[in-house]
Amino acid sequence: AQKVTQAQTEISVVEKEDVTLDCVYETRDTTYYLFWYKQPPSGELVFLIRRNSFDEQNEISGRYSWNFQKSTSSFNFTITASQVVDSAVYFCALSEASEYGNKLVFGAGTILRVKS
Amino acid sequence: GAVVSQHPSWVICKSGTSVKIECRSLDFQATTMFWYRQFPKQSLMLMATSNEGSKATYEQGVEKDKFLINHASLTLSTLTVTSAHPEDSSFYICSAGRGLAGGLAYEQYFGPGTRLTVT
């Protein structure tokens, strides 16, 4: 069965520090998707990125960057120059193929607290 | 595009009553919708997969007679919590699936969630 592990339960940083959120996954599928979501205190999930298993290129979007390494089954997320507004819970997720489409398996989440 | 709404955003009900939560895809058709439950300080757990015109597929450990799911149209799925009890208090989130190019996966678009409190 698919599994997503986010070993960091909670991270606290001071504003402008860089921070990396770790995500390790397990799957037997050769084709899969990985996701990162942000959940601010309001509760609504905010989609950050989707990466398919065939594309190992790292991606950068503003202060956000992602490092996908199939060799270590990791999909880590780095926030550069963190800001207070980055404080949220971040979830890594894996798309698992099922009969009726692709179910998402979520990691436990990492609480990020950015202090001013 | 790809907006999903949920109604109500929060609800308080008395123990023993039933509560219906609606999930709508506003600008696309979703043959598949997913219902998740999130307890405080925990992750999202998939409860069931809902397909338009057919019975929902429930995850192991989820009581299908207690959590009734209806997906009557391509834009609406409903979750009814029957005979709710305080332990059912949770944050319920739906998502609507839209196929990605190449048919390899669904992109799931999440609703804003419904916070249920059972007193």
Side-chain angles (χ1 to χ4, degrees), chain A residues 2-13:
Chain A
Q2 269 88 341
K3 184 179 178 182
V4 176
T5 302
Q6 294 180 254
Q8 304 148 308
T9 303
E10 185 169 337
I11 301 175
S12 290
V13 298

Side-chain angles (χ1 to χ4, degrees), chain B residues 4 6 8-11 13 19 24 29-30 54 70 73 81 86 97 101 104:
Chain B
V4 177
Q6 274 185 249
S9 55
W10 60 270
V11 57
C13 71
V19 174
R24 294 182 185 271
Q29 293 184 330
S54 65
N70 184 284
S73 76
V81 183
L104 293 179

Side-chain angles (χ1 to χ4, degrees), chain B residues 4-7 21-25 33-35 75-79 93-96 109 111:
Chain B
V4 177
S5 69
Q6 274 185 249
H7 178 81
I21 302 170
E22 292 185 348
C23 177
R24 294 182 185 271
S25 56
M33 289 184 172
F34 303 85
W35 286 95
T75 58
L76 173 65
S77 176
T78 60
L79 168 67
I93 306 173
C94 75
S95 72
Y109 298 92

Side-chain angles (χ1 to χ4, degrees), chain A residues 19-91:
Chain A
V19 58
T20 295
L21 309 181
D22 297 334
C23 174
V24 175
Y25 64 92
E26 295 175 28
T27 179
R28 291 183 179 178
D29 289 350
T30 55
T31 302
Y32 53 89
Y33 284 77
L34 293 161
F35 302 78
W36 274 97
Y37 291 90
K38 174 182 180 181
Q39 188 177 42
S42 65
E44 185 164 0
L45 282 178
V46 177
F47 168 81
L48 297 178
I49 190 171
R50 177 185 70 246
R51 171 68 72 215
N52 76 52
S53 53
F54 300 115
D55 182 2
E56 285 194 73
Q57 282 192 347
N58 291 333
E59 180 155 342
I60 299 175
S61 176
R63 295 185 297 108
Y64 296 168
S65 63
W66 291 269
N67 184 316
F68 177 30
Q69 293 195 350
K70 287 180 74 171
S71 61
T72 56
S73 297
S74 65
F75 186 43
N76 297 337
F77 172 34
T78 297
I79 301 175
T80 303
S82 59
Q83 299 176 2
V84 173
V85 294
D86 296 327
S87 297
V89 183
Y90 290 86
F91 291 99

Side-chain angles (χ1 to χ4, degrees), chain B:
Chain B
V3 179
V4 177
S5 69
Q6 274 185 249
H7 178 81
S9 55
W10 60 270
V11 57
I12 302 173
C13 71
K14 291 186 177 181
S15 188
T17 62
S18 296
V19 174
K20 180 186 285 188
I21 302 170
E22 292 185 348
C23 177
R24 294 182 185 271
S25 56
L26 300 184
D27 51 3
F28 68 99
Q29 293 184 330
T31 54
T32 302
M33 289 184 172
F34 303 85
W35 286 95
Y36 296 85
R37 180 168 53 184
Q38 185 180 29
F39 291 110
K41 301 188 186 301
Q42 294 188 24
S43 187
L44 284 77
M45 297 300 295
L46 181 65
M47 299 175 66
T49 303
S50 163
N51 287 279
E52 186 265 338
S54 65
K55 290 183 179 180
T57 302
Y58 290 81
E59 294 300 299
Q60 193 171 10
V62 177
E63 301 175 57
K64 60 182 179 182
D65 294 331
K66 180 171 183 61
F67 299 99
L68 301 179
I69 291 173
N70 184 284
H71 194 157
S73 76
L74 289 173
T75 58
L76 173 65
S77 176
T78 60
L79 168 67
T80 301
V81 183
T82 62
S83 187
H85 289 99
E87 56 266 31
D88 298 323
S89 298
S90 187
F91 192 51
Y92 292 86
I93 306 173
C94 75
S95 72
R98 189 168 71 176
L100 295 173
L104 293 179
Y106 278 73
E107 178 70 80
Q108 289 191 32
Y109 298 92
F110 286 86
T114 296
R115 198 164 299 281
L116 170 63
T117 302
V118 185
T119 61

